Amino acid sequence: SAAEVDEVTGEAATLKGTVNPNGQSTTYQFEYGTSSGVFTNTVPAVAESAGSGTEAKAVSYKATGLTPGKTYYYRITATNSAGKANGNQVSFKTPGPPMVTEVSYGGVTRKCATLKGMVWPNGKPTKYWFEYGPTTSYGTKAPVTPVEIGYVTGSALAEETVCGLAANTTYHFRLVAENGLGTTNGADQAFTTLPAVTLKVGGAPLKVGAPLKVFSSNFSFLSSTGVKHSCAETELSGELTENPGALENVTAPKFQ
């Protein structure tokens, strides 16, 4: 037989079994605990009668005060003048607050990062979101509307790409999951965005063999066609030519 778990609170379960008195006055109880084969609790405290019939009789008892999100093991016991008999062990898990694991990040650029983790609903429909910011106070939620993952028997991937970040800045983040039995905050993680490329041009104008891929600010250069370019930020492609004296205070990532 199996337990009928209270889905609302996660703190109760109706334990079920069958007893055949074999024609003798018989009582029954349920034994349960949180380790396989170890039964530390007995309900009801005073054994209840299963009668004295000759056929199997379905019986049940509601165990309360259980811990949400916990696995329990139980068995039914029956006693009459001929002795005590133990039923087979049965297990069940009470629903509980969600869990979050394997929180990580990737795809970090100057402005964006991808936040990841695994969410375990623990028996109830669950939603999740990420919180991030420059301190452990976070301050920003992504997405603004939490993601609904419903109920799954195992885990579900949580992933969100956040942008609009400041370059060369450390951000803290955590994964948060919530269901009807509680909210779980994942452990704090941190990442640092890539630095912006800064080129300060001194002396002769910077000459490049256009096209060149450049992310920079407030500089000018001459293309191979002799045209002078001034810009705050641009993206070309190609490589630098001879003009080492024009480069000053170059920060990573370096041009090659």
Side-chain angles (χ1 to χ4, degrees), residues 1-6 12-16 72 74 90-93:
S1 61
E4 191 172 276
V5 182
D6 186 336
T14 300
L15 311 182
K16 297 181 178 182
Y72 286 86
Y74 79 95
V90 180
S91 67
F92 65 92
K93 184 176 181 179

Side-chain angles (χ1 to χ4, degrees), residues 3 13 48 110 113 136 172:
E48 293 195 355
R110 293 178 304 144
T136 52
H172 292 264

Side-chain angles (χ1 to χ4, degrees), residues 165-181:
L165 308 177
N168 198 29
T169 301
T170 297
Y171 285 88
H172 292 264
F173 76 97
R174 67 183 179 185
L175 174 59
V176 181
E178 180 180 79
N179 66 19
L181 293 178

Side-chain angles (χ1 to χ4, degrees), residues 93-134:
K93 184 176 181 179
T94 54
M99 297 188 301
V100 297
T101 61
E102 301 178 43
V103 180
S104 64
Y105 62 88
V108 179
T109 66
R110 293 178 304 144
K111 299 179 179 180
C112 300
T114 299
L115 314 180
K116 302 177 181 180
M118 303 300 294
V119 176
W120 301 75
N122 264 345
K124 293 189 73 66
T126 298
K127 56 187 177 182
Y128 75 83
W129 63 91
F130 290 92
E131 295 176 345
Y132 68 95

